[in-house]
Amino acid sequence: MIKAVLIDLDDTLITTSTDKFFSAYLKAMGEYASINPPANSFGENIVAAYGEALEAYDATRLLYPRFLEHLVARLQYSKNEEELDRLFAGFFTKVYQDLKPMIQPRNESPPFLRWLLEHNYRVVVATNPAIPASATLIRMAWGGISPDDYPFTDITTLENMHFGKPQPEVFEEV
């Protein structure tokens, strides 16, 4: 018996061109942060801090605080985790919208999701929880599959997961 249907987001439910999108996302984030280190290495530090948060295997702490902790340590500057959290929130409300043209809906997704939900499947958007919920929810809306329109059982994000891909525990946690 199928308990739930786990579906990836990028280039599955929505068209993203994942490599191009996340490269543009990291570049824009670095430019928005405009801190030392230079903008281009800010994105590299984000990627590395996420990897370190995964390696700091801890089933008792969510990924987001672990990620912020590692990013603060990598950046070696005076901002603390709360300031970085505010920086990210500002980015997602002010700059992230500029990336919208890079996201396209997939015509197949709405009818597929409706069918699953009409047949009482629990549907989980099991994207890699490497970015905050606000960014994931915005991309979903751009892709025409807003959680306001589809009652997903769960959507994996930095704030609600302890594990991330490729850790097998991510699927057990979902």
Side-chain angles (χ1 to χ4, degrees):
M1 172 184 203
I2 298 173
K3 294 181 180 181
V5 178
L6 282 58
I7 310 169
D8 193 28
L9 178 61
D10 296 294
D11 295 318
T12 303
L13 286 174
I14 62 175
T15 301
T16 308
S17 297
T18 305
D19 291 340
K20 289 179 185 177
F21 178 82
F22 282 101
S23 177
Y25 158 71
L26 292 170
K27 181 180 180 208
M29 174 61 81
E31 290 170 356
Y32 178 77
S34 65
I35 56 171
N36 197 6
N40 60 345
S41 65
F42 188 79
E44 292 169 8
N45 281 311
I46 287 175
V47 171
Y50 176 70
E52 291 166 356
L54 287 179
E55 289 175 18
Y57 191 94
D58 186 347
T60 66
R61 291 182 65 213
L62 292 167
L63 279 172
Y64 192 57
R66 291 178 5 226
F67 163 73
L68 289 176
E69 181 180 285
H70 287 278
L71 187 56
V72 165
R74 284 190 137 280
L75 294 175
Q76 299 178 346
Y77 74 119
S78 62
K79 291 196 184 288
N80 61 30
E81 291 151 20
E82 292 80 23
E83 290 173 297
L84 275 176
D85 190 48
R86 285 192 298 276
L87 176 98
F88 287 129
F91 172 78
F92 291 120
T93 57
K94 297 174 186 172
V95 178
Y96 194 67
Q97 300 297 322
D98 296 343
L99 301 175
K100 182 178 181 177
M102 299 183 79
I103 303 296
Q104 301 298 316
R106 292 200 56 182
N107 294 334
E108 307 88 348
S109 293
F112 175 60
L113 292 171
R114 280 193 299 275
W115 186 90
L116 289 170
L117 294 166
E118 287 167 3
H119 288 83
N120 298 314
Y121 287 100
R122 296 182 333 169
V123 180
V124 176
V125 178
T127 189
N128 193 14
I131 62 174
S134 57
T136 300
L137 297 176
I138 290 168
R139 283 198 333 279
M140 290 174 70
W142 292 342
I145 57 163
S146 172
D148 294 338
D149 300 324
Y150 300 93
F152 298 107
T153 301
D154 199 4
I155 301 165
T156 56
T157 69
L158 265 175
E159 294 93 340
N160 69 3
M161 296 294 292
H162 297 84
F163 304 101
K165 295 176 184 177
Q167 295 173 316
E169 293 89 346
V170 73
F171 298 104
E172 184 175 329
E173 185 171 11
V174 170

